[in-house]
Amino acid sequence: MRPADRWLAVAGVAALSAIAVAGLCLAIYTAWLFHDMPDAADLADYRPPTASRAYAWDGTLIGEFSRERRIYVPYDAMPPTLVQAFLAAEDRSFFQHGGVDPAGLTRAMIKNVFNLARGRRLEGGSTITQQVAKNVLLTSDVTLGRKLREAILAGSLERVLTKEQILELYLNEIWLGYRSYGVGAAAYNYFGKSINDLTLSEAAYLAALPKGPQNYHPIRRKEQAVARRNWILGEMASLGWVSHEEARKAMAEDLKVQQAPTRAKYRDADYFVEEVRRRGLATMGDELLEGGYYMRTTLDPRLQTAARVALMKGLEAYDRRHGWRGAKFRVDIAPGWEKAALKIPKPAERTEWRHAVVTDTSGGVKVLTVENVAGELVAADVSWARAGKGLNVGDLIFVEPGEQGGFRLRQIPAVNGALAAIEPHSGRVLAMVGGYSYSLQNFNRATQAYRQPGSAFKPIVYAAALENGYTPSSVVMDSAISLPGATPGSVWRPENYNRQYYGALTLRRGLELSRNTMTVRLAQGVGMRKIVDLAKRMDVVDEMSPVLSMSLGAGETTPLRLTAAYASFVNGGRKINPHLIELVQNREGEVILKADDRKCPRCDAAFSGDESPRIMPGGEQVLDPVTAYQITSMLEGVVLRGTATSARVLDRPVGGKTGTTNEYRSAWFVGFSPQVVVGVFVGFDDNRSLGNGETGTTAAVPIFIDFMAEAAKPWPKTEFKPPKTAKFATVRGIREAFRPGTEPQVRAPVSASSAAPSGPQPYSQAWPGGRISGAGSAADAVRPAPPPAPKRPPDDMSGLY
């Protein structure tokens, strides 16, 4: 072979080898590129992560839980104008191409030549189908391989899904800024509307956002946003989807959006919503954040607002009693002082408060708000401030416009508290406020703060006594008592709040006046193990030491748990499950969680004209119904004649019990009507003293009164209903309930000077000449001669000593 031919042969072999190697490399690359290609068929049942939404009892949206905020909207529910706006902006030939638009791709390539020359971002020319493939099945890597995979997947999607299904996925998946995934969330976040309420102009603006939400931010880049919106409107008109007149009018509209996306319009339930989230995560796990669940909660917005207002007012009233603590920050009054003032956190719930600076303290006190409004503090607040830490020029403070002119001085309370309201028969938590301001601190004291309840625990002790042979008219001595202490050789001497002793008292009177020494003697007689057992059955505590100090409320519980326990007194002795989530449904409307598990044996039977089916009462019977009513009646006496007489102003049947712990560390009142049970707690987070005289009567009862005055407006003045098995006798002018066989009989009087009975005794034996009418007869009662009236205690008798 000639040398030339030999070299030609070698070149040919080399070329063929290179082609083979290139082919092999291409095959390997192709295999690698597509070895993990997603299956487009997987999208047939695909649903993107969707926010779960929580609603109040009346349908008010109160919260959303999600990682990606998305409201899934079916294609059939989308207004045509909104769909057309996105098609005009992103893919006008969507319904004609098969997944890839050659004409659009060509236009994009031509534009990219100029974009390269100008250093601009390259355009991909992707169709909506390609964007769905990228967003759902692929990554966002800008590579040739990803574009090839995208194009192939787009063709597969077009064969598996209808055009409408692809559009539904796209419009629900796309990121549109403002914490919004999909058009449903975007309409709500930007405009506070559902998609069906969007105007043509608003729909066109949302269609501008897929190109980059930050590029067309409605506030920071409003000019660019309006220009892009108007271009889309022009495209819609040129395609004949809207008239040129409609487009012109829409272009003339201003672009107005919400200042920031809000999760719900109703903002009084932040503590409640956070507790719903915590319980939802505990029940459903991470599915809560992406499953798109419908959650109906137990919240009553009217009562929730009343609870928030009452608690904030009560904590502010306590704070004012303890003086002005002084301004925390001071500035030189110079241009820019407003920025320093606005950095001070303000309670979001107090929208009427204003940041201000003190400008003059000679004579009165002059202030200037950050809105540049000048004024003077009212004289009463000037005196209040000067009696405390005083005010100085440059002090940064909060003020509120006064009703009679001038400004009122405000300060954020250092004290905190909680309020929980429960429907006693079902256990529905109607309202819950876990602190002064959720915007300042989200620790929920209603469910997370474990505190000693003090005398608010005493009804559990008295209920245990009534369950074990005592009656409301049984007599126990209220006198000094000494007991072995916790350490060898020590002595425990519990005392009454006012250091006075009233001698032999009935159980009713002892509970009404909250007598500590009498309660300890009663606990001795009943046995602490029985009291602990009842407290655990009523879910007040998980564990409790069976020591006598626990009878005075030395154990720890939460406001919600104690309030739920009191519900058993009102509902006939049944333990309720205090719940916030009533019903949960998935996207298909299937019920996956239901709180009401009561039975209705005849509900599925055909109606025969006989008595209608009845739902059986739910919950474990933890108290005899008569015992529950006896405690309810005795706690009514606390309001009528005891430590909570200020609540008589409500002018309706209510009962309750005050509680104050040792050194005034916590103040409690758990009160109720036939419709609701309300627990109020006031205390510092570090458990320091509230101050001398800050009892449950002083600090907690006024909050209960304010709440009930508003909450009870539409409710009838219903009496507490006694059980049918109760027997009645009038004892010293009070109609008492007794369990059958325990009702008192008229007996010969016994000397009052005799030693205190060791066990439960009829009230008639306590006072010479005392008589009790027969069971059930209230009208013709012969009342016993009253004992010497004890000195009226000045305040709440509770406390640990």
Side-chain angles (χ1 to χ4, degrees):
M1 183 178 293
R2 291 181 302 172
D5 292 337
R6 189 163 44 249
W7 283 110
L8 184 60
V10 170
V13 170
L16 289 173
S17 299
I19 293 172
V21 170
L24 179 62
C25 291
L26 181 61
I28 294 173
Y29 175 71
T30 303
W32 172 82
L33 188 63
F34 298 112
H35 80 282
D36 61 345
M37 177 76 86
D39 188 352
D42 293 342
L43 286 183
D45 298 318
Y46 173 75
R47 288 292 183 273
T50 307
S52 295
R53 311 187 86 195
Y55 295 85
W57 189 253
D58 65 352
T60 301
L61 177 66
I62 59 174
E64 297 178 49
F65 315 117
S66 64
R67 291 192 183 92
E68 298 178 357
R69 193 174 186 197
R70 180 184 286 105
I71 302 170
Y72 197 89
V73 183
Y75 180 80
D76 292 342
M78 295 180 184
T81 301
L82 179 65
V83 176
Q84 290 164 352
F86 276 86
L87 292 177
E90 295 295 312
D91 191 355
R92 64 177 65 192
S93 60
F94 173 75
F95 281 97
Q96 285 76 47
H97 62 65
V100 177
D101 181 12
L105 188 59
T106 301
R107 286 194 301 271
M109 291 175 64
I110 295 172
K111 284 185 179 179
N112 282 338
V113 173
F114 296 98
N115 288 340
L116 268 174
R118 299 173 183 175
R120 293 181 179 177
R121 184 176 180 272
L122 301 183
E123 296 184 14
S126 296
T127 64
I128 282 178
T129 311
Q130 287 176 271
Q131 292 184 56
V132 169
K134 179 190 72 174
N135 292 340
V136 179
L137 298 174
L138 300 173
T139 67
S140 297
D141 297 338
V142 184
T143 64
L144 177 61
R146 199 267 295 163
K147 292 297 292 183
L148 287 172
R149 287 157 63 93
E150 179 185 294
I152 293 171
L153 269 178
S156 299
L157 283 176
E158 293 279 349
R159 291 190 295 272
V160 172
L161 304 178
T162 65
K163 288 286 188 180
E164 289 76 13
Q165 288 175 314
I166 295 171
L167 267 178
E168 181 176 305
L169 282 172
Y170 172 74
L171 292 172
N172 281 290
E173 182 72 27
I174 190 73
W175 165 245
L176 297 172
Y178 243 42
R179 298 209 305 258
S180 307
Y181 285 86
V183 293
Y188 186 80
N189 286 345
Y190 282 98
F191 302 109
K193 298 178 178 181
S194 72
I195 59 173
N196 290 301
D197 295 327
L198 293 174
T199 65
L200 173 60
S201 173
E202 292 166 344
Y205 172 68
L206 294 186
L209 296 170
K211 282 291 185 285
Q214 293 305 314
N215 298 334
Y216 304 108
H217 193 281
I219 299 173
R220 294 194 295 269
R221 307 197 70 178
K222 184 174 181 179
E223 184 178 344
Q224 293 90 331
V226 170
R228 175 72 177 172
R229 178 201 70 181
N230 290 350
W231 176 83
I232 293 171
L233 289 168
E235 292 294 294
M236 294 177 72
S238 67
L239 291 166
W241 292 341
V242 298
S243 69
H244 287 282
E245 178 62 19
E246 288 173 325
R248 185 189 62 78
K249 289 182 178 179
M251 291 179 187
E253 291 182 18
D254 189 14
L255 177 57
K256 293 182 179 179
V257 299
Q258 300 182 121
Q259 287 296 312
T262 56
R263 289 195 172 270
K265 296 295 184 183
Y266 183 71
R267 302 300 298 168
D268 281 344
D270 286 337
Y271 283 107
F272 186 98
V273 170
E274 174 59 17
E275 185 65 19
V276 168
R277 188 191 70 84
R278 291 176 65 244
R279 296 190 178 203
L281 285 172
T283 303
M284 294 176 279
D286 288 347
E287 271 294 302
L288 174 71
L289 305 177
E290 55 190 36
Y293 293 109
Y294 162 82
M295 307 177 73
R296 188 178 76 210
T297 72
T298 59
L299 185 84
D300 184 323
R302 185 180 69 86
L303 300 191
Q304 179 66 26
T305 298
R308 196 267 302 166
V309 171
L311 184 65
M312 293 189 81
K313 177 183 175 183
L315 297 178
E316 288 170 359
Y318 166 90
D319 190 66
R320 192 171 182 88
R321 288 196 297 273
H322 291 266
W324 169 249
R325 298 190 303 277
K328 289 186 177 180
F329 302 96
R330 185 176 299 170
V331 296
D332 293 327
I333 305 176
W337 70 268
E338 298 91 346
K339 292 182 179 179
L342 290 171
K343 290 180 181 179
I344 303 173
K346 177 175 75 75
E349 299 83 355
R350 289 302 190 215
T351 56
E352 65 276 15
W353 286 17
R354 301 287 181 265
H355 292 85
V357 65
V358 176
T359 58
D360 187 9
T361 59
S362 58
V365 174
K366 294 181 173 61
V367 299
L368 179 68
T369 71
V370 293
E371 295 83 8
N372 201 33
V373 178
E376 289 194 30
L377 294 182
V378 299
D381 287 359
V382 173
S383 299
W384 175 61
R386 287 176 175 167
K389 298 290 186 178
L391 287 167
N392 300 283
V393 173
D395 282 352
L396 296 177
I397 58 174
F398 293 119
V399 298
E400 179 183 353
E403 295 180 0
Q404 306 299 324
F407 285 106
R408 302 301 309 268
L409 178 62
R410 300 300 187 212
Q411 74 177 353
I412 298 171
V415 72
N416 234 301
L419 186 152
I422 301 176
E423 200 284 314
H425 297 279
S426 65
R428 292 191 296 120
V429 179
L430 305 175
M432 175 193 289
V433 187
Y436 175 73
S437 171
Y438 185 86
S439 65
L440 299 179
Q441 193 178 46
N442 57 24
F443 178 69
N444 190 337
R445 294 152 192 87
T447 60
Q448 295 174 290
Y450 279 80
R451 294 290 186 271
Q452 294 177 340
S455 291
F457 181 79
K458 287 177 181 174
I460 312 297
V461 178
Y462 283 73
L466 294 172
E467 291 279 278
N468 288 277
Y470 288 78
T471 73
S473 61
S474 297
V475 173
V476 176
M477 286 298 294
D478 174 39
S479 60
I481 184 172
S482 297
L483 297 164
T487 58
S490 64
V491 177
W492 180 51
R493 295 186 178 89
E495 296 178 324
N496 292 324
Y497 176 81
N498 61 354
R499 309 297 199 276
Q500 296 181 9
Y501 305 97
Y502 298 157
L505 295 177
T506 62
L507 261 64
R508 168 181 286 278
R509 195 60 179 152
L511 187 57
E512 288 177 351
L513 297 179
S514 196
R515 308 307 286 163
N516 286 339
T517 57
M518 177 178 167
T519 301
V520 171
R521 276 197 172 86
L522 182 63
Q524 276 186 307
V526 175
M528 277 304 301
R529 293 197 178 277
K530 293 179 180 178
I531 294 169
V532 169
D533 181 60
L534 180 59
K536 291 166 67 175
R537 291 205 318 271
M538 296 179 75
D539 201 31
V540 180
V541 294
D542 295 322
E543 295 294 336
M544 177 185 285
S545 299
V547 296
L548 285 171
S549 62
M550 295 297 173
S551 68
L552 300 181
E556 292 186 339
T557 188
T558 67
L560 184 66
R561 293 180 71 168
L562 188 62
T563 304
Y566 272 61
S568 298
F569 302 141
V570 183
N571 67 25
R574 290 180 294 104
K575 175 184 174 181
I576 54 98
N577 171 32
H579 59 278
L580 290 75
I581 303 172
E582 188 73 18
L583 182 76
V584 178
Q585 293 175 303
N586 62 18
R587 292 185 238 214
E588 285 70 42
E590 297 171 336
V591 176
I592 64 168
L593 186 150
K594 187 178 181 182
D596 190 350
D597 58 357
R598 292 176 296 172
K599 307 299 182 184
C600 182
R602 298 177 52 213
C603 282
D604 295 332
F607 181 62
S608 61
D610 297 331
E611 183 180 358
S612 300
R614 294 188 180 183
I615 298 177
M616 304 298 292
E620 175 190 356
Q621 194 77 36
V622 292
L623 290 172
D624 185 285
V626 176
T627 299
Y629 180 76
Q630 288 171 324
I631 293 293
T632 297
S633 176
M634 292 161 71
L635 294 179
E636 259 195 293
V638 172
V639 172
L640 294 173
R641 295 171 296 276
T643 60
T645 53
S646 56
R648 293 174 63 179
V649 71
L650 293 169
D651 191 29
R652 63 171 51 244
V654 294
K657 184 68 190 76
T658 51
T660 311
T661 60
N662 205 15
E663 299 177 357
Y664 304 98
R665 294 180 185 275
S666 298
W668 295 75
F669 184 71
V670 184
F672 51 81
S673 72
Q675 297 88 357
V676 70
V677 183
V678 183
V680 178
F681 159 75
V682 177
F684 287 100
D685 287 341
D686 60 6
N687 206 28
R688 69 179 185 267
S689 175
L690 290 166
N692 191 42
E694 290 292 351
T695 63
T697 302
T698 304
V701 172
I703 297 173
F704 170 80
I705 293 171
D706 285 343
F707 171 76
M708 284 295 292
E710 181 63 31
K713 283 181 178 179
W715 298 341
K717 296 182 179 180
T718 308
E719 298 286 343
F720 295 100
K721 186 177 180 180
K724 294 180 180 179
T725 56
K727 301 295 183 181
F728 289 88
T730 301
V731 179
R732 200 164 175 251
I734 298 173
R735 191 168 183 257
E736 296 284 13
F738 297 88
R739 282 200 276 183
T742 67
E743 63 270 28
Q745 305 297 324
V746 177
R747 301 181 182 180
V750 177
S751 172
S753 62
S754 61
S758 59
Q761 299 292 325
Y763 185 86
S764 58
Q765 294 185 356
W767 310 111
R771 296 190 64 196
I772 301 176
S773 64
S777 61
D780 301 319
V782 179
R783 297 176 176 82
K791 183 179 179 181
R792 178 69 170 84
D795 210 327
D796 186 9
M797 302 311 131
S798 57
L800 298 176
Y801 292 93

